[in-house]
Amino acid sequence: MVTKKSQMPRLAIVLATSSLFLTGSVQAAPSETTMGIARANRLTFGVSSAPSGQSGNATDLPPDAQAQIAAMRISREPVAQIVVEEDAQNRALKDIADPAQKDQARQAYQKSMNALADEARTRFILRALYSPDQMREQMTWFWFNHFNVHAAKRDIRAMVGDYEDVIRAHALGHFRDLLEATLRHPAMLRYLDNDQNAAGHINENYAREIMELHSMGVGSGYSQQDVQELARILTGVGVSLESDPPKLRPQLQPLYFRAGLFEFNPARHDFGDKHFLGHTIKGAGFAEVEKAIDLIAASPATAHHVSEQIAIYFMGDTPPPEVVARMAQTFTKSDGDIAQVIRTMIRAPEFTASLGHVFKDPVHYALSAVRLTYGDRVILNARPVINWLNRMGEGLYGHETPDGYALTSASWIGPGQMATRFDIARQIGGGAAGLFRPEGAPADIPAFPQLQNALYFQSLQDSLAKPTQTALAQAVSPQEWNALFLSSPEFMHR
């Protein structure tokens, strides 16, 4: 006799090894309801089982989610205050003579810094699960990955929540504004070492990644000299935790400015003329940076590269070149209006044809599973979701290199990764997995979710291919049925 525990993986393997797994199921003449579900799965973090027609502002989070966010330190204190306080705690370590006390103080500092990063992770998850403005949340994740920083480097854990907030504010605005917002943020300047970039001590890290990853893209026509000249332009762009401005010569004082932790220090700037992207930029301080950003954002290469990245994110590994070309044209005509570029993509017939065929990365998979399974029941503990993402290899703020996590399916579809997904599906489908128990609270035995509900029978059922329906029919319990559904090829795609 096959036990419940062993049968679920066997059926999941049947689903995973079917030809449908890589391509997604294709149903003949899909109904209008099925198409609506498919579009919702693509343009949100997954269809939610929450009832529709709820009252409230279109951007409001549920009160229980908002209360959790409001209680966070990253919500209550300005980022500059947090970073300065944490830095003072770290600096104080050197004055502690007793080794045991020093070790205890070091652990307290690390715990405090880790808590700040975990607050940001929890806030992202709450917003992604429950915000009605799902396109903004999706694009916040896309742009963070595009302008990636690694939280574990230096003191970025204390800054990463604010960095994500800045990205979120510009996620559907103009690309040029977003590019400058990331350039001015201390998390980016720390991560790519531009706070160490000064006249006579050039650091090209950030300049190279702006050109290669953030804007024009590899092989788009810029030269190594352009990278070197941009690095010179960016000298003096950095971070300051000091309460007082630096002492400067009188002629430089009008060129100094600071906003929060961001600082432009003209004493560290190379004022020589630069030749960048075919233009001569006269030495003028931060005005040079503004000019360089203008040139980068207006480049046809930037329009194409950014449009292609957005298309891959939404439409899969190889988006049609003609769609990317139309998106790039919109990008150029609208001065990089991100919302208009997305709108051009969504209106393309090719976009509709791609629905249900894009393999979910771990973030989309985990969030869509929770949204479908628990609807608007607000989680009280994001730790399980954070752990699931770590196990699947896409931990929030955890990618070490500037290229961000891969957008293509090949990085997420290996046998080991799929086995991990099946285990997570079993946890979600069999109960709350600690989602509704605050950390440290006594264990409870919550009622398991019912995925065989009205939403399933009225719409989701129609999108399932015959092998999936056959596998589901073999489930021996509701919990196993849930796990099988969340392991199905159809649910793995959006």
Side-chain angles (χ1 to χ4, degrees), residues 260-440:
L261 297 172
F262 173 81
E263 177 187 66
F264 176 73
N265 186 343
R268 296 170 55 84
H269 183 67
D270 178 348
F271 278 91
D273 293 347
K274 291 89 176 176
H275 302 281
F276 179 64
L277 295 180
H279 293 75
T280 298
I281 298 179
K282 297 290 185 180
F286 193 75
E288 301 170 41
V289 180
E290 299 279 7
K291 177 62 174 176
I293 293 173
D294 289 340
L295 293 173
I296 291 169
S299 167
T302 297
H304 181 271
H305 178 66
V306 172
S307 296
E308 184 175 50
Q309 293 298 295
I310 293 173
I312 292 172
Y313 178 72
F314 280 103
M315 295 183 64
D317 297 0
T318 54
E322 56 272 24
V323 176
V324 174
R326 292 198 295 270
M327 293 168 67
Q329 186 177 39
T330 297
F331 187 105
T332 300
K333 287 183 176 180
S334 67
D335 293 325
D337 187 316
I338 298 163
Q340 289 195 40
V341 172
I342 294 172
R343 194 174 297 117
T344 296
M345 176 190 68
I346 292 172
R347 289 173 175 170
E350 297 91 338
F351 177 83
T352 301
S354 74
L355 295 177
H357 295 275
V358 176
F359 189 75
K360 294 176 182 176
D361 68 296
V363 167
H364 276 90
Y365 177 74
L367 294 175
S368 63
V370 175
R371 278 173 62 82
L372 179 64
T373 305
Y374 296 107
D376 59 354
R377 184 184 175 192
V378 176
I379 64 172
L380 302 177
N381 181 8
R383 176 55 57 185
V385 182
I386 294 171
N387 290 341
W388 294 334
L389 296 178
N390 289 336
R391 288 181 60 195
M392 289 187 285
E394 200 173 25
L396 297 176
Y397 326 135
H399 194 74
E400 293 188 21
T401 53
D403 53 347
Y405 290 113
L407 298 177
T408 50
S409 60
S411 298
W412 310 116
I413 209 163
Q417 289 166 320
M418 297 318 303
T420 299
R421 290 199 186 197
F422 299 152
D423 184 54
I424 292 168
R426 182 163 48 226
Q427 290 182 46
I428 297 173
L435 293 171
F436 303 100
R437 186 180 71 249
E439 286 195 76

Side-chain angles (χ1 to χ4, degrees), residues 142-148 175 213-215 305-306 309 402:
F142 169 81
W143 287 124
F144 189 103
N145 198 53
H146 185 85
F147 295 101
N148 182 60
F175 178 79
L213 298 175
H214 299 169
S215 61
H305 178 66
V306 172
Q309 293 298 295

Side-chain angles (χ1 to χ4, degrees), residues 467-487:
T468 300
Q469 295 182 24
T470 300
L472 290 172
Q474 298 179 48
V476 297
S477 70
Q479 296 96 318
E480 184 173 280
W481 193 99
N482 291 343
L484 282 168
F485 182 84
L486 297 176
S487 301

Side-chain angles (χ1 to χ4, degrees), residues 214-295:
H214 299 169
S215 61
M216 297 176 68
V218 178
S220 59
Y222 68 86
S223 66
Q224 174 59 23
Q225 182 182 353
D226 287 320
V227 172
Q228 293 169 346
E229 295 293 84
L230 181 57
R232 292 178 60 213
I233 291 169
L234 290 171
T235 51
V237 174
V239 179
S240 175
L241 275 60
E242 302 300 324
S243 56
D244 298 319
K247 296 185 184 302
L248 299 171
R249 299 194 306 272
Q251 61 268 36
L252 293 180
Q253 290 175 7
L255 297 176
Y256 175 85
F257 72 90
R258 182 175 174 183
L261 297 172
F262 173 81
E263 177 187 66
F264 176 73
N265 186 343
R268 296 170 55 84
H269 183 67
D270 178 348
F271 278 91
D273 293 347
K274 291 89 176 176
H275 302 281
F276 179 64
L277 295 180
H279 293 75
T280 298
I281 298 179
K282 297 290 185 180
F286 193 75
E288 301 170 41
V289 180
E290 299 279 7
K291 177 62 174 176
I293 293 173
D294 289 340
L295 293 173

Side-chain angles (χ1 to χ4, degrees), residues 188-209:
M188 177 60 74
L189 299 175
R190 287 278 208 239
Y191 176 58
L192 290 176
D193 305 316
N194 205 79
D195 58 341
Q196 300 172 20
N197 183 21
H201 301 278
I202 298 295
N203 188 308
E204 297 180 5
N205 286 0
Y206 185 33
R208 180 174 295 105
E209 304 308 349

